[in-house]
Amino acid sequence: MKRVDKQTVSHILEEIGLLLELKGENPFKSRAYRRAARTIRTLPGNLAERVAAGTLDEAPGIGAALSEKITELVETGTLAYHTELLVSFPPGFSELLTIAGLGPKKAKILYDALGIASVGELEYACQENRLADLPGFGAKTQEKLLEGIARRRRYQGRFLFPEALEIAEGIRADLAKHPAVSRVAVAGSLRRCLETVTDADLVAAVSDAETAGAALTGRPEVARIIEQGPTKTAVQLEGGLQIDLRCVDETVYPFALLHFTGSKEHNAALRARARRLGLTLNEYGLFKGNKSLPCRDEKEIYAALGLAFIAPELREDRGEIAAAEAGELPDLVSPEELRGVFHVHTVASDGTATLEELTAAAAERGWQYLGICDHSRSAHYAHGLEVERVRRQWQEIDALNEAGGVRLFKGIETDILADGALDYPDEVLAGFDFVVASIHSYFQLPEAEQTARLLRALENPYTTILGHLTGRLLLARDGYAVDLEAVIAAAVRRKVVLELNANPHRLDLDWRLLKQARDAGVMIAINPDAHDLKGLDDVRYGVGVARKGWLSAGDILNTRSAAEVADWFGRRRS
Ligand code: DGT
Ligand code: CA
Ligand code: ZN
């Protein structure tokens, strides 16, 4: 039996949605498949167990019919309905639909008019200028499609951090129980909390490398064994992720862990430092001439090099070694230091949880406060709130706040309109405790206009937080063109908080910019942008990125108490 994971199921459901749309079927039907795809992707726990227990249809948007199809897929590895749909299209066609800017309708025109049925054919046709005169296309579209193809090529074979981490952690936990394994850790880009990764690296201290390696190759989700050497075992899993496992002796383990955590650049800088001290550092050990200098853990290796321990997130050769030498490494923020979160959606707009449910969930997480942010009125697609509904929500919040417990702040995620204005008149904006201003439209404005738009939003006295600043979607869409330095400078001057959107598809601001923003003196808020209860926990990815951006609790608004936050919001207005 072929095992099918969440990612594969989600992908197939998504594809069915697209194919149905292409066939001109009822749009509700195709939307239902896409929704189910999203649900499965984010479903907690083990999918096969859910199927076996028959509890799939308890997940939102998964009725009896969908549950039956997913069960077939998980249990048999294929879905007859999907196969039937696929054979009614040329092979490679569905791949075409993964190109940004090419929806099903356009794809059908291209197929009918030019016989384009694959990405390669599309690229060729664009390069040959065949789309320039095609009705509904034109030179500009053609250029965009070429960009989309190039971007897809760049993104291919990469995974979002949480997807890969969940898989790697599962394997790590199993290996940790193996009798031949004394220590095992996730290393590589995952340990460094990089937002997307190529593969998952594991390092283990073992008594017997062969049986430990076999524990990986023998796993049911392994699709292909890539390498089976004396220390290195590499496999590719069903979902496409590659796992590299290095098995070493206990004494070598700290050096192997350090090496395979990387980054390459950090390693190179460390080795150069060792050389300057008359030492040799490599993945096997630290040596003075022929003499090996034993270290029990990474901390001892750094100490031997005259350095304080450098957290994995910082190991990107961006000044961390100099800071470690000078004893000036930041005291990095930890998840426990968050005392609340802002930017949480409710059922009033496009969220799935009520105010009461969110309040209870915040209490469970030990948070003092929660900033409620539904979408503003222009966001029709997300049931943005008209003024009347805003006022009703304020009443509900007042009532809940009366009851005590977790404090709710009245917020809104207002669209930044095309000209940089916010989405409500000032007298309404004045009624919120805080306002998150985000761009959700006109992504394509030229840089100068996009920058001017954001700067205008920053000038607005009611803007408290600037939401997902670049608008990027990881592995799907680049951020919009904007002069980030100008925006960061304005945020400092205007005392506007910059959001670190913790949704794993966004992680926006990027950690590289985050450090820049911190150095410039910007206040940051780690916001989950949660649309359901589970989404609240995305802040842990935000904390990872914040650490990667060198942030301490002091740089982050939501490490402060409810009273301090209220004070900050109030002062911002006066
Ligand atoms: P990835 O896989 O692209 O998401 O990023 P990494 O950093 O996990 O890269 P990977 O898997 O190729 O290698 C894991 C670590 O092993 C890397 O961070 C540093 C170390 N490493 C690999 N190749 C080299 C090398 O040529 N020189 C040095 N100094 N270190 C290396
Ligand atoms: Ca890696
Ligand atoms: Zn939002």
Side-chain angles (χ1 to χ4, degrees):
M1 184 185 90
K2 188 177 158 221
R3 288 264 291 251
V4 181
D5 60 12
K6 278 183 213 168
Q7 204 186 335
T8 314
V9 172
S10 168
H11 177 79
I12 289 174
L13 294 175
E14 187 81 37
E15 192 165 281
I16 293 175
L18 280 169
L19 295 172
L20 288 173
E21 193 176 338
L22 263 176
K23 284 197 151 250
E25 298 257 348
N26 184 338
F28 289 105
K29 199 166 160 190
S30 81
R31 238 173 278 152
Y33 275 95
R34 291 198 176 140
R35 172 139 191 254
R38 273 198 305 277
T39 304
I40 293 293
R41 203 164 45 228
T42 57
L43 198 68
N46 181 300
L47 183 59
E49 281 168 19
R50 283 285 280 254
V51 165
T55 59
L56 255 187
D57 53 5
E58 285 166 15
I62 299 194
L66 266 163
S67 162
E68 208 173 283
K69 291 206 169 64
I70 295 165
T71 304
E72 179 185 335
L73 194 48
V74 171
E75 286 182 347
T76 69
T78 57
L79 176 59
Y81 181 61
H82 177 235
T83 319
E84 279 160 31
L85 262 176
L86 267 184
V87 295
S88 62
F89 291 92
F93 193 80
S94 63
E95 208 187 346
L96 208 48
L97 300 171
T98 63
I99 303 296
L102 192 67
K105 287 197 193 86
K106 279 199 169 144
K108 185 152 175 2
I109 298 175
L110 286 179
Y111 179 61
D112 292 342
L114 301 172
I116 292 172
S118 70
V119 175
E121 285 168 319
L122 175 64
E123 183 172 29
Y124 177 77
C126 289
Q127 281 160 351
E128 297 290 297
N129 218 16
R130 303 243 168 98
L131 274 60
D133 300 324
L134 203 61
F137 286 82
K140 257 207 167 131
T141 313
Q142 185 170 275
E143 206 174 297
K144 286 231 176 74
L145 289 174
L146 274 175
E147 277 169 27
I149 293 169
R151 195 170 327 127
R152 184 172 162 282
R153 200 161 279 149
R154 265 203 321 279
Y155 290 156
Q156 222 169 18
R158 293 195 73 84
F159 295 80
L160 288 181
F161 174 80
E163 277 172 10
L165 184 70
E166 191 189 338
I167 296 170
E169 271 299 333
I171 297 177
R172 192 205 66 81
D174 287 346
L175 285 173
K177 291 181 221 139
H178 193 280
V181 175
S182 57
R183 287 196 270 180
V184 54
V186 174
S189 47
L190 275 177
R191 183 160 180 243
R192 302 199 313 278
C193 273
L194 210 56
E195 61 280 4
T196 65
V197 304
T198 331
D199 58 18
D201 302 281
L202 292 160
V203 178
V206 302
S207 54
D208 173 4
E210 200 174 321
T211 60
L216 177 62
T217 54
R219 294 182 68 91
E221 72 270 38
V222 167
R224 179 164 85 83
I225 296 172
I226 298 165
E227 192 176 333
Q228 227 170 346
T231 59
K232 180 175 172 186
T233 307
V235 298
Q236 187 167 33
L237 305 182
E238 285 293 353
L241 183 68
Q242 181 175 330
I243 311 283
D244 287 359
L245 170 67
R246 263 78 172 203
C247 293
V248 297
D249 285 345
E250 179 63 35
T251 51
V252 173
Y253 177 81
F255 300 97
L257 179 61
L258 179 71
H259 175 80
F260 291 110
T261 296
S263 67
K264 222 178 262 185
E265 294 75 17
H266 178 84
N267 288 352
L270 274 187
R271 288 177 180 199
R273 182 179 175 82
R275 270 196 300 279
R276 281 196 301 275
L277 298 171
L279 306 170
T280 305
L281 174 70
N282 58 33
E283 61 263 54
Y284 308 106
L286 181 65
F287 305 91
K288 186 163 199 151
N290 301 334
K291 198 171 144 259
S292 154
L293 308 175
C295 295
R296 280 167 302 180
D297 55 26
E298 286 184 330
K299 192 161 184 241
E300 292 190 359
I301 306 177
Y302 282 108
L305 298 174
L307 300 172
F309 176 76
I310 299 176
E313 295 92 334
L314 297 184
R315 300 182 194 171
E316 300 289 350
D317 193 25
R318 289 184 170 242
E320 71 276 13
I321 293 176
E325 182 175 19
E328 284 167 3
L329 283 171
D331 181 10
L332 297 179
V333 62
S334 65
E336 306 75 49
E337 286 178 296
L338 298 191
R339 296 210 243 174
V341 301
F342 317 113
H343 197 165
V344 174
H345 295 267
T346 78
V347 281
S349 65
D350 59 349
T352 63
T354 62
L355 284 172
E356 289 82 357
E357 288 167 337
L358 285 163
T359 310
E364 259 172 50
R365 287 160 179 76
W367 291 337
Q368 285 182 20
Y369 52 87
L370 207 56
I372 301 302
C373 281
D374 276 306
H375 284 285
S376 64
R377 58 186 180 181
S378 287
H380 304 292
Y381 57 90
H383 303 286
L385 270 55
E386 291 298 337
V387 175
E388 245 335 281
R389 295 175 62 214
V390 168
R391 293 194 195 282
R392 224 175 306 148
Q393 187 177 63
W394 288 348
Q395 288 170 1
E396 283 177 56
I397 290 178
D398 285 336
L400 284 165
N401 278 339
E402 295 272 303
V406 172
R407 162 137 184 213
L408 298 179
F409 287 112
K410 294 171 193 156
I412 192 81
E413 180 178 22
T414 172
D415 271 26
I416 298 174
L417 305 181
D419 64 356
L422 303 188
D423 203 11
Y424 295 106
D426 284 357
E427 65 267 24
V428 177
L429 292 173
F432 291 107
D433 295 319
F434 73 105
V435 170
V436 176
S438 311
I439 285 183
H440 291 117
S441 58
Y442 301 99
F443 300 137
Q444 309 294 348
L445 289 183
E447 179 172 328
E449 281 171 51
Q450 197 70 282
T451 307
R453 179 188 187 192
L454 277 167
L455 291 180
R456 183 162 172 223
L458 284 166
E459 288 305 323
N460 191 308
Y462 294 104
T463 302
T464 334
I465 301 180
L466 197 58
H468 46 72
L469 174 50
T470 77
R472 76 171 179 191
L473 290 179
L474 289 167
L475 306 184
R477 182 175 85 199
D478 293 336
Y480 23 78
V482 62
D483 179 349
L484 289 163
E485 283 188 14
V487 172
I488 288 172
V492 177
R493 186 169 47 77
R494 298 288 305 146
K495 293 200 171 52
V496 168
V497 176
L498 292 185
E499 171 177 272
L500 164 48
N501 189 299
N503 181 304
H505 289 271
R506 292 192 183 269
L507 298 174
D508 180 10
L509 273 183
D510 185 276
W511 55 272
R512 302 158 186 90
L513 287 164
L514 209 53
K515 181 161 188 265
Q516 203 178 316
R518 181 205 80 142
D519 293 344
V522 175
M523 177 68 83
I524 302 292
I526 301 180
N527 293 349
D529 197 356
H531 288 74
D532 50 32
L533 298 179
K534 214 180 129 270
L536 292 172
D537 296 321
D538 283 349
V539 286
R540 68 188 145 132
Y541 307 124
V543 171
V545 168
R547 291 169 61 87
K548 224 170 160 48
W550 292 56
L551 299 194
S552 306
D555 304 315
I556 297 164
L557 183 59
N558 50 317
T559 60
R560 316 213 162 177
S561 70
E564 286 170 311
V565 166
D567 188 50
W568 169 280
F569 287 157
R571 234 183 317 149
R572 173 70 192 84
R573 290 283 167 78
S574 48

